[in-house]
Amino acid sequence: MKKGVKVKAFVKRHRKLCIVLTVIIVLAIAVSVFAGMLRSTVRGLAESMYNQETAQIERRTIVESISATGSITSSDSRSIIVNISNVEVASVNVEVGDTVLAGDVLCTMDAGDVEANLADAKISLNAANSKTSLDITSAQRQLDEAVTAKNIDMQRADSDVSDAYTDYENAVDEMDDAEDTLDDAVDETDEKKAAYESALSAYNLAVGSGTVSEGDADYLKLYSELEQAQSAYIAAQEAESAARSAYESAEDKANSLYEVYEDRLESRADTERSLDSSVSSKQESLQSSKISASTSGISEKQQVKTYEEQLDNCTVKAPISGVVTELNVEAGDIYNGASIAVIENIEGFEVTAEIDEYDISKIEVGQSVVIKTNGTGDDELDGTVIKIAPRATGGSSVTYTVTISVDTPNDALRLDMTAKLSIIIESSENVLSVPYESVQEDTDGNYYIEVKEETDSDTNNQNTDAFRRIYVAKGVESDYYIEIISDEITEGMEVLVPDSASGTDADGMIMIQGPMGGF
């Protein structure tokens, strides 16, 4: 029997055994390959333990900035709208792209209706002014008449009071004269009474004593003297009575005239109050007319002003120098208050950018900005933050509009170009710095770096590196480098730059290598 036939027969009789042997051989080969790969990986990790990436502490200018994207806009853009409506556009003197100077005529409107309305408004204003002028003149005339009437009536009242007082004074003088006459009459009566009583006493004494008899010469003499004294006494009483009556009459007249005087005074006061009230009323009327004049015709004046402004607006002029970037009217259109044109100043540019809510608090007016655009290539343009919106822009995300002036002139700049921005938040010059990843943080939140220190060779005569931990304070941070501050660091020191793949420590590597070595 041939050898090949014998092998086939053997395989046929021992098929299961052959299959098992084949699987064992394949598994052995696979495990051997995997173990080799694993040994190679562990060897590489072990080598990396002794060949860590390092960087030197160097002096640099560290700049912390916020990156953003914006668009180039004009520093002064005006949408031209005039206060006039329902008028026909008579002519348009510019096209989109034209350069204009401030004051250039952009277009004109048909001013016929406006001129007619202005003429009517001026007529109404003149009529209102004439009426108010007449009202003031009339009120002034009535006031003058009231003042004149007051002066005349007061002169009359003063004259009446003066006359009444004069009559009263004359009556008082007459009363004083009558009083003097009465006093004289009383004295005369007293004197005649005394003479009569003396004559009566002498008569009674002579008759009573019998020294005289009725009919003799002494008796007749005494009797005659008594009769004369009595007659004189009676005459004196009558004169006194007449004088008293005259005095009382003069007193009544003086009192009566004094009442007349008081009545005249009261009448004068009433007249003065009445006249003053009349004059005040006329003064108030004049003041009211003047006030009315100051407010009269306001609507007419406003109408005149409005139509004058509309007449001026019929000639539309450029408010600024720049380029016409938008034109919305043609000759023959009916203008109703929409934007006529947009003029933008291309001598000065700005950048507007949206900054998210996480960074906006770091941005301040006056901060420097580095600007780059595709249109200006590698040129870096200087900019300055000039405006920060106080409220967020509407949208799905919270952002704030920041406006930046372009301070470096560049002829390649164009409106609406995309601008890449670096807004400088903070910078430090000539400071000690390391790569950002070199600064680590311990469990207590303190920052440190690991500085390389060379040690003696190992048993395989290979140099091994040791690292000393130095605690530092962080300064300004950029995207790649960070300022570090410590009295223990110097320029040129080598620091560890931890690698993200080196998270496995040496013990871990030994644990992995053990099983592999036993395979």
Side-chain angles (χ1 to χ4, degrees):
M1 185 180 292
K2 293 181 180 181
K3 186 177 180 180
V5 174
K6 291 180 179 180
V7 171
K8 288 181 180 179
F10 177 80
V11 170
K12 186 175 181 180
R13 287 195 303 268
H14 304 283
R15 178 177 295 178
K16 290 183 179 181
L17 177 60
C18 290
I19 292 174
V20 171
L21 291 173
T22 301
V23 170
I24 291 173
I25 293 170
V26 169
L27 288 174
I29 294 172
V31 170
S32 176
V33 172
F34 175 74
M37 293 175 61
L38 192 57
R39 287 192 191 94
S40 177
T41 300
V42 172
R43 189 179 299 110
L45 290 174
E47 290 176 356
S48 69
M49 287 288 293
Y50 301 104
N51 295 281
Q52 297 281 5
E53 181 182 353
T54 61
Q56 286 190 341
I57 298 177
E58 297 180 1
R59 290 192 177 275
R60 294 182 178 88
T61 295
I62 306 297
V63 178
E64 180 183 357
S65 64
I66 293 176
S67 299
T69 301
S71 60
I72 301 294
T73 61
S74 172
S75 61
D76 192 0
S77 176
R78 304 289 180 89
S79 179
I80 301 167
I81 299 173
V82 293
N83 183 23
I84 190 172
S85 62
N86 200 31
V87 294
E88 183 178 348
V89 179
S91 65
V92 179
N93 303 332
V94 296
E95 296 179 352
V96 173
D98 286 352
T99 299
V100 297
L101 298 176
D104 286 352
V105 176
L106 304 178
C107 66
T108 60
M109 308 289 183
D110 183 357
D113 291 342
V114 177
E115 290 173 342
N117 292 335
L118 176 59
D120 292 341
K122 287 183 176 179
I123 291 173
S124 297
L125 177 59
N126 290 334
N129 290 338
S130 297
K131 181 180 181 304
T132 55
S133 178
L134 288 173
D135 290 343
I136 291 175
T137 300
S138 176
Q140 183 65 58
R141 184 180 63 254
Q142 292 177 13
L143 174 60
D144 293 341
E145 291 174 352
V147 171
T148 300
K150 174 187 175 181
N151 292 335
I152 293 172
D153 289 347
M154 289 306 299
Q155 287 177 356
R156 290 173 180 172
D158 288 341
S159 178
D160 290 344
V161 170
S162 178
D163 291 344
Y165 189 73
T166 299
D167 291 342
Y168 167 67
E169 285 184 326
N170 292 335
V172 169
D173 290 341
E174 292 177 1
M175 184 183 69
D176 290 341
D177 292 341
E179 186 177 18
D180 292 340
T181 301
L182 175 59
D183 291 341
D184 292 343
V186 170
D187 292 342
E188 183 68 20
T189 299
D190 291 341
E191 181 181 346
K192 297 304 180 183
K193 179 181 178 182
Y196 167 69
E197 289 177 346
S198 177
L200 179 61
S201 177
Y203 173 78
N204 289 332
L205 180 60
V207 172
S209 62
T211 57
V212 295
S213 298
E214 186 175 353
D216 58 15
D218 291 333
Y219 174 81
L220 291 175
K221 181 182 178 183
L222 288 172
Y223 187 76
S224 175
E225 289 176 352
L226 177 60
E227 284 185 337
Q228 290 177 358
Q230 184 178 20
S231 297
Y233 175 53
I234 292 172
Q237 286 182 322
E238 291 175 352
E240 179 184 349
S241 177
R244 189 174 298 281
S245 295
Y247 169 74
E248 291 175 352
S249 177
E251 185 179 32
D252 290 340
K253 180 181 179 181
N255 290 335
S256 176
L257 290 176
Y258 184 75
E259 291 176 357
V260 171
Y261 167 68
E262 286 186 328
D263 289 342
R264 295 284 174 83
L265 281 176
E266 185 174 350
S267 177
R268 180 191 181 282
D270 292 341
T271 299
E272 187 174 25
R273 281 193 294 271
S274 176
L275 294 174
D276 285 344
S277 176
S278 177
V279 170
S280 296
S281 176
K282 302 305 179 184
Q283 288 174 333
E284 290 172 358
S285 296
L286 176 60
Q287 187 66 23
S288 176
S289 296
K290 290 180 178 179
I291 293 174
S292 297
S294 66
T295 58
S296 176
I298 288 180
S299 60
E300 290 84 356
K301 291 177 183 176
Q302 186 61 45
Q303 282 289 86
V304 169
K305 182 179 179 181
T306 298
Y307 290 131
E308 287 176 341
E309 289 176 352
Q310 289 183 357
L311 188 60
D312 289 339
N313 290 338
C314 285
T315 301
V316 182
K317 299 179 180 180
I320 61 172
S321 299
V323 173
V324 178
T325 58
E326 185 178 315
L327 184 64
N328 303 310
V329 296
E330 296 179 353
D333 289 350
I334 301 301
Y335 179 71
N336 285 307
S339 173
I340 294 173
V342 175
I343 297 177
E344 298 190 63
N345 176 16
I346 60 171
E347 297 298 324
F349 292 102
E350 294 176 349
V351 180
T352 56
E354 295 296 321
I355 307 298
D356 64 40
E357 60 184 317
Y358 303 103
D359 292 327
I360 192 64
S361 62
K362 301 176 184 177
I363 297 178
E364 299 177 355
V365 171
Q367 288 174 335
S368 298
V369 183
V370 177
I371 305 168
K372 295 185 71 174
T373 71
N374 292 333
T376 54
D378 294 332
D379 291 346
E380 291 187 348
L381 310 180
D382 294 330
T384 305
V385 176
I386 59 174
K387 188 188 301 181
I388 302 171
R391 302 193 65 177
T393 306
S396 57
S397 60
V398 180
T399 61
Y400 294 80
T401 302
V402 174
T403 304
I404 297 156
S405 65
V406 180
D407 302 332
T408 304
N410 192 299
D411 293 338
L413 280 178
R414 296 292 185 271
L415 294 174
D416 300 323
M417 279 185 173
T418 299
K420 299 176 182 178
L421 309 174
S422 292
I423 303 173
I424 308 303
I425 304 303
E426 188 178 2
S427 66
S428 292
E429 297 183 358
N430 195 30
V431 295
L432 296 175
S433 63
V434 295
Y436 189 85
E437 296 83 357
S438 295
V439 180
Q440 305 177 65
E441 184 177 1
D442 65 15
T443 56
D444 295 326
N446 299 312
Y447 298 106
Y448 66 91
I449 59 174
E450 292 184 306
V451 178
K452 181 178 179 181
E453 291 184 341
E454 291 191 1
T455 62
D456 296 334
S457 301
D458 61 10
T459 56
N460 295 320
N461 294 322
Q462 294 181 345
N463 290 330
T464 59
D465 296 328
F467 292 90
R468 178 169 60 93
R469 180 177 296 188
I470 296 177
Y471 283 92
V472 296
K474 295 199 300 184
V476 178
E477 301 177 16
S478 70
D479 292 339
Y480 304 103
Y481 296 100
I482 182 169
E483 176 187 0
I484 55 173
I485 303 167
S486 172
D487 293 336
E488 299 182 53
I489 60 175
T490 58
E491 185 177 3
M493 282 183 171
E494 284 194 61
V495 296
L496 176 67
V497 181
D499 183 53
S500 59
S502 62
T504 306
D505 57 20
D507 293 339
M509 292 181 186
I510 293 172
M511 289 174 65
I512 295 173
Q513 191 174 11
M516 291 195 310
F519 204 89

